[in-house]
Amino acid sequence: MNETVTATDAVPAETSAAGEAAGARGPLPTAVIVNPVRVDDIPARRRAIESELAAAGWPAPLWLETTADEPGARQARDAVDAGAQVVFVCGGDGTVRSCIEGLAGTEVALAVLPAGTGNLLATNFGVPTDTAAAVRLATHGGRRRIDVGDAGGQGFAVMAGMGFDAALLDDASTKLKAVIGAPAYVLSAVKHLRDRRMHVQITLDDAAPLRRRARTVVIGNVGRLQGGVRLLADAEPDNGQLEVAILAPHTWHHWVTLLWGVLRRHRDVAHMEILRAARIIVTSDRDQPRQLDGDVIEPGRTLTLSVRPGALELCVPRPDGA
């Protein structure tokens, strides 16, 4: 019996040498970290995971559950200490982000089993939402080393933000998301379209600070938002830098123009400025809501970010023909 411990154009999947070596090594020890609050029908998912691993000739996994006090990082470190070489994470974006903190800087691969509303990391890399298919991706797919953003010791792999984006995430009803999914974010966004703009100072690497008036500042390691909307067309998860989007619409017309430009994938979008750096400091004139990978953190006046290049190995689809 297994131990239970309580504790599209997606980004191209460049199969790494590590991924090829993983296939050559054969079956690998694994662990599954699951959020029992966010994941429905855990017994059925468990059967699907164990069945796919057995079919691939891999051993049964170690099972660990997150708690309110331990949302994933400690469980990920426990899995590493137990000898797991692939860690499956089944939960929402917050669970995935916390597990990234525990796995960053190790040689252990993260395999996402999407179970939340946003599923931001999975969406950006083309990870299937079906549990069995996502497990097969880990046993037969590729690997890609990606950068991890650092925000004062808290990690993220998709996007961080201050202002409007964090406010809409904070207000999106968990119950409503469970019923209607991504449209819950749209309803929340409408409530905040007329929020006051913030005066921000943005420092990029060693350059002189920039001063802007903005609704939100979004810093991305990859480009896709909820609903598959691609905000940052040039974001690359392994170039050692983050894309910085400064959104500064003032009127309803500005919002419509900005949204149209993003949806149409225009190279230059009105009321949005794109910059790039490895170290970013965003300072507002007043406390602002803040988020990391869709996980709302404490409000604050400053968001300080840096990059840990190639810190995480991720299970991804192999390119066609690989």
Side-chain angles (χ1 to χ4, degrees):
M1 181 178 296
N2 299 320
E3 178 185 5
T4 299
V5 182
T6 300
T8 193
D9 46 18
V11 174
E14 298 172 0
T15 305
S16 66
E20 296 293 350
R25 284 196 298 268
L28 300 176
T30 64
V32 178
I33 299 173
V34 61
N35 182 338
V37 175
R38 296 298 303 275
V39 177
D40 295 327
D41 200 1
I42 291 179
R45 289 181 187 264
R46 183 165 184 162
R47 288 192 297 271
I49 294 167
E50 292 181 341
S51 176
E52 289 297 332
L53 290 176
W58 287 34
L62 172 69
W63 283 81
L64 305 106
E65 290 188 356
T66 66
T67 66
D69 294 330
E70 298 288 353
R74 184 183 67 78
Q75 289 86 345
R77 289 189 287 267
D78 288 347
V80 174
D81 292 342
Q85 295 187 43
V86 177
V87 173
F88 295 94
V89 179
C90 190
D93 290 325
T95 306
V96 173
R97 186 189 71 79
S98 187
C99 290
I100 287 171
E101 291 180 1
L103 295 178
T106 74
E107 296 301 314
V108 177
L110 168 68
V112 181
L113 304 179
T117 304
N119 297 319
L120 293 174
L121 190 62
T123 296
N124 274 278
F125 286 92
V127 176
T129 57
D130 176 73
T131 298
V135 174
R136 288 195 295 273
L137 179 65
T139 58
H140 295 89
R143 301 282 191 271
R144 185 173 181 178
R145 292 211 71 89
I146 66 171
D147 303 335
V148 172
D150 181 88
Q154 298 186 80
F156 67 97
V158 181
M159 292 184 188
M162 173 187 281
F164 168 80
D165 68 311
L168 75 88
L169 289 168
D170 193 27
D171 270 358
S173 164
T174 300
K175 184 178 296 186
L176 192 60
K177 286 189 293 184
V179 175
I180 67 174
Y185 294 113
V186 177
L187 298 178
S188 179
V190 171
K191 294 167 53 179
H192 291 280
L193 288 179
R194 297 190 64 81
D195 286 355
R196 286 173 57 200
R197 288 186 294 175
M198 54 186 179
H199 293 266
V200 293
Q201 176 177 286
I202 302 173
T203 303
L204 306 175
D205 294 329
D206 298 321
L210 304 172
R211 289 175 174 80
R212 299 287 189 270
R213 294 187 69 185
R215 295 282 190 178
T216 192
V217 179
V218 177
I219 301 95
N221 192 37
V222 292
R224 284 184 177 273
L225 300 170
Q226 283 86 354
V229 175
R230 192 163 185 82
L231 178 69
L232 302 169
D234 295 327
E236 293 290 343
D238 53 7
N239 65 357
Q241 293 187 310
L242 299 168
E243 300 287 300
V244 182
I246 306 169
L247 280 65
H250 183 52
T251 67
W252 285 94
H253 181 263
H254 291 171
W255 276 113
V256 171
T257 303
L258 189 156
L259 180 60
W260 179 253
V262 170
L263 293 176
R264 299 293 295 176
R265 301 189 179 186
H266 292 167
R267 172 58 55 183
D268 296 313
V269 177
H271 315 295
M272 183 170 74
E273 181 179 5
I274 303 293
L275 306 166
R276 178 181 293 173
R279 300 187 311 278
I280 302 107
I281 303 174
V282 183
T283 304
S284 173
D285 58 335
R286 61 188 188 278
D287 280 355
Q288 297 289 339
R290 303 179 300 168
Q291 62 88 12
L292 303 174
D293 283 0
D295 197 11
V296 178
I297 61 175
E298 286 294 320
R301 293 185 59 184
T302 301
L303 187 61
T304 302
L305 308 172
S306 60
V307 178
R308 299 176 62 184
L312 180 70
E313 184 168 284
L314 185 67
C315 296
V316 297
R318 291 182 182 273
D320 292 341

